[in-house]
Amino acid sequence: MRAATASPPLPLAECRIRASLLLKALHAGEAQAAERLCALPALAHLSAAQLLQGRDSVQRKHALALVAHEQGYASWAALKQAREAAPLDPRAFFRAGGRGFLNRWFSSYEAARASLREAPGFLFPFGAQFFVCEPGFVRALGVDPADPDWERIGYDWVQPRDAAAHERLRERLVRQGYGLLPQQEVAHGAR
C-alpha cells in the first residue's frame, strides 16, 4: 500500500534515473547514499559504514527498491505496477507540471465539448467538472501534444473516438506518474 507523500509521484523513468544516481554515489563512496540505503528494510541491519565497506554487493535492485520505498511503495514491482496499471487521475496534472496554464473550465461535458469544437485544445474530466487545455499543458505533462493518437481520440478524453488510441495515451500519462494512487482507488472504487 502506498503511503501519502508530499511530492507528486515520480514517473518511472525518473525513478530509474534516481536509482542509478544513488548507486553511482554509493560506489563513489558517498556516505549520504549509504545512509539513504540503510532505510531500506532489507539493508536496515547494516550501518552506513558497513554498507560503504560492502558497497560492491549493493545492486541496482536495491537502489530501485529504495526509490520505491521513498515513493511510499513496499517494492519496485509495486511501484512499477501502480504506475503502469493505474487509472488516469487528471487531478494529478495540477500537482505536477500542469500549473500556470490558462484552461477553459466547465460544469458540463456538453459545454466543454462545444468549447473544444470552437477552439482547439484537449478535453479532460476533473472530478464532476471538465476542462479544455492548450498543447503546452499536455507538453508540460511529458506527453507529445502532436502525437497522432490525440487526433484519433478527437482530443476528447471523456468520449474518445478510438479506444486503442485512448489506451495508448492513458499508458503514457500513467507512466509519467498521473495514475490514481492506491488509496484513491479504494476511496473512489475501481474504474
Side-chain angles (χ1 to χ4, degrees):
M1 185 81 162
R2 185 189 195 305
T5 59
S7 60
L10 295 173
L12 273 181
E14 179 64 23
C15 290
R16 287 183 180 104
I17 290 168
R18 289 186 182 202
S20 294
L21 291 173
L22 174 64
L23 196 56
K24 184 177 180 178
L26 178 71
H27 287 183
E30 293 182 22
Q32 186 179 22
E35 290 168 9
R36 280 180 62 202
L37 280 158
C38 286
L40 191 61
L43 301 175
H45 66 282
L46 299 171
S47 69
Q50 291 171 319
L51 200 56
L52 276 174
Q53 284 180 334
R55 63 183 173 248
D56 290 337
S57 65
V58 177
Q59 300 171 359
R60 187 166 195 265
K61 69 179 182 180
H62 296 111
L64 289 169
L66 179 66
V67 171
H69 179 76
E70 290 174 343
Q71 285 285 294
Y73 289 87
S75 68
W76 173 254
L79 181 143
K80 189 171 186 276
Q81 180 183 11
R83 295 292 192 275
E84 291 176 343
L88 184 70
D89 181 9
R91 295 170 299 176
F93 295 170
F94 297 95
R95 291 192 295 262
R99 295 186 197 126
F101 290 91
L102 185 58
N103 300 309
R104 303 183 313 261
W105 288 87
F106 305 92
S107 59
S108 73
Y109 170 74
E110 294 74 23
R113 184 73 191 140
S115 176
L116 185 62
R117 283 191 296 271
E118 292 172 14
F122 301 79
L123 191 157
F124 288 98
F126 188 89
Q129 299 179 357
F130 304 88
F131 69 98
V132 177
C133 64
E134 59 191 65
F137 181 94
V138 172
R139 188 176 301 107
L141 299 176
V143 179
D144 183 4
D147 185 317
D149 280 341
W150 290 112
E151 184 176 358
R152 289 182 187 108
I153 70 166
Y155 303 93
D156 184 341
W157 197 263
V158 179
Q159 293 185 8
R161 292 188 306 221
D162 182 324
H166 184 261
E167 179 59 20
R168 288 189 298 270
L169 289 168
R170 184 201 65 79
E171 288 173 0
R172 288 182 197 112
L173 286 163
V174 168
R175 277 195 304 268
Q176 290 298 320
Y178 301 111
L180 277 176
L181 303 177
Q183 69 268 20
Q184 292 172 316
E185 290 178 27
V186 171
H188 295 96
R191 288 189 188 179

